[in-house]
Amino acid sequence: MIKGIDPERIPTHIGCVMDGNGRWAEARGLARTEGHKKGEDALFEAVEGSLELGVKWLTVYAFSTENWRRPADEVRFLVNFNEDILVRRREELNDRGVRIRFAGRRDWRVPRRIIRRMDESLAMTEKNRRMTLTIAFNYGGRAEIVDAVRALVADKVPAKKIDERAIRSHLYDPEMPDPDLVIRTSGEYRISNFLLWELAYSELVFTETLWPDFTREHLYDAVREFQGRDRRFGGTAR
Ligand code: IPE
Ligand code: IPE
Ligand code: MG
């Protein structure tokens, strides 16, 4: 096992806000897109590190509902690059026993071709159980709650039947457990609309590391920090 990590207390679900690609590139005098490209290595470090630890769910924030506000060139690059990574690497993920899922809005802004790639990837990996990699694409936490409310109304759920369980069961992936640990890179101390409902009691770890520099060692550091925390869920200390 990994030094300083208790194998009995591995977080079941880790979320990553993969931030800092643009700054990584700008610091090197490169185009921002070069930072996104380098971010692919970091993503697979996070995947491999999670597999090594025995994490069951890993959710990565790839593109937010607000990221459409970026310059058209960067948006186009990000959309195409996400598709490219998915197509190039899904077989490898499948071989590693990873189930791929997606969280986010499938609205008119997401090209049909990408939706098709997503559905193919879901079908290809649906039987895998070693770990679920959820790619949050065109994802916003507020949009997810709005969509859950819309689904409740469409299902004609009466007001008195609406409780936390009912809302949870209408989120994008009702099977997904709440994240135990959420890591945000790049020294930004905010959530930026990631998993708003689900992270009510998540432990948050912020690191100065820019996402393209992120390795499995950074993941292990975050898990060590997580294991040093006292999770109380509103109760009293252990
Ligand atoms: C994260 O890096 C990637 C996405 C948000 C898609 P950024 O592109 O936000 O990089 P910075 O924050 O500008 O450095
Ligand atoms: C959050 O990063 C979204 C993703 C990592 C996909 P942003 O870079 O978009 O967040 P802000 O704008 O700094 O809050
Ligand atoms: Mg950013």
Side-chain angles (χ1 to χ4, degrees):
M1 248 330 216
I2 292 134
K3 194 162 171 284
I5 294 184
D6 176 358
E8 302 297 321
R9 290 187 304 122
I10 299 296
T12 301
H13 181 186
I14 299 180
C16 286
V17 179
M18 310 186 287
D19 196 18
N21 297 352
R23 279 163 284 165
W24 183 92
E26 282 156 14
R28 287 161 180 76
L30 303 170
R32 292 176 55 83
T33 49
E34 294 303 313
H36 300 315
K37 286 187 195 162
K38 185 70 172 42
E40 179 179 346
D41 295 341
L43 170 62
F44 280 80
E45 278 290 299
V47 167
E48 287 300 329
S50 296
L51 288 170
E52 203 157 333
L53 289 171
V55 170
K56 300 303 289 181
W57 295 76
L58 175 66
T59 299
V60 295
Y61 204 3
F63 192 90
S64 77
T65 47
E66 287 71 38
N67 287 147
W68 301 105
R69 292 180 188 153
R70 295 187 177 201
D73 280 357
E74 184 169 348
V75 167
R76 199 174 312 115
F77 177 87
L78 284 167
V79 170
N80 291 333
F81 188 56
N82 274 289
E83 176 192 9
D84 176 49
I85 294 182
L86 186 64
V87 172
R88 269 191 296 107
R89 311 226 34 190
R90 62 188 170 187
E91 271 160 52
E92 168 188 347
L93 289 167
N94 193 29
D95 292 342
R96 307 289 281 131
V98 174
R99 175 170 64 173
I100 303 173
R101 286 195 173 170
F102 300 91
R105 224 179 225 174
R106 290 181 163 210
D107 62 17
W108 56 272
R109 294 179 294 193
V110 183
R112 297 292 318 160
R113 191 187 69 251
I114 309 264
I115 304 274
R116 211 160 49 233
R117 299 296 195 198
M118 288 177 170
D119 287 338
E120 290 163 4
S121 309
L122 285 169
M124 175 190 274
T125 62
E126 72 184 343
K127 296 213 165 57
N128 294 338
R129 287 294 177 276
R130 191 170 169 204
M131 185 174 81
T132 302
L133 172 66
T134 303
I135 301 168
F137 183 84
N138 193 22
Y139 176 87
R142 288 184 175 175
E144 179 173 33
I145 295 169
V146 169
D147 290 350
V149 172
R150 283 185 185 159
L152 283 162
V153 172
D155 286 352
K156 300 197 165 48
V157 180
K160 62 177 183 305
K161 289 260 159 84
I162 297 179
D163 55 13
E164 290 185 12
R165 208 157 64 158
I167 292 176
R168 151 161 302 285
S169 68
H170 288 78
L171 297 175
Y172 293 134
D173 185 352
E175 285 180 21
M176 183 180 89
D178 289 344
D180 303 289
L181 166 63
V182 172
I183 303 165
R184 182 171 186 149
T185 55
S186 87
E188 303 292 1
Y189 294 77
R190 56 178 171 260
I191 295 303
S192 299
N193 210 8
F194 188 50
L195 302 178
L196 292 185
W197 177 275
E198 297 87 339
L199 56 68
Y201 275 99
S202 303
E203 294 299 328
L204 308 178
V205 170
F206 295 96
T207 153
E208 298 297 315
T209 306
L210 300 174
W211 182 254
D213 291 325
F214 192 86
T215 66
R216 69 191 78 189
E217 289 305 325
H218 297 101
L219 183 84
Y220 302 155
D221 284 344
V223 170
R224 286 184 196 102
E225 182 161 345
F226 166 83
Q227 292 192 338
R229 305 262 181 101
D230 181 18
R231 300 185 82 189
R232 291 196 283 279
F233 299 97
T236 47
R238 281 180 284 139

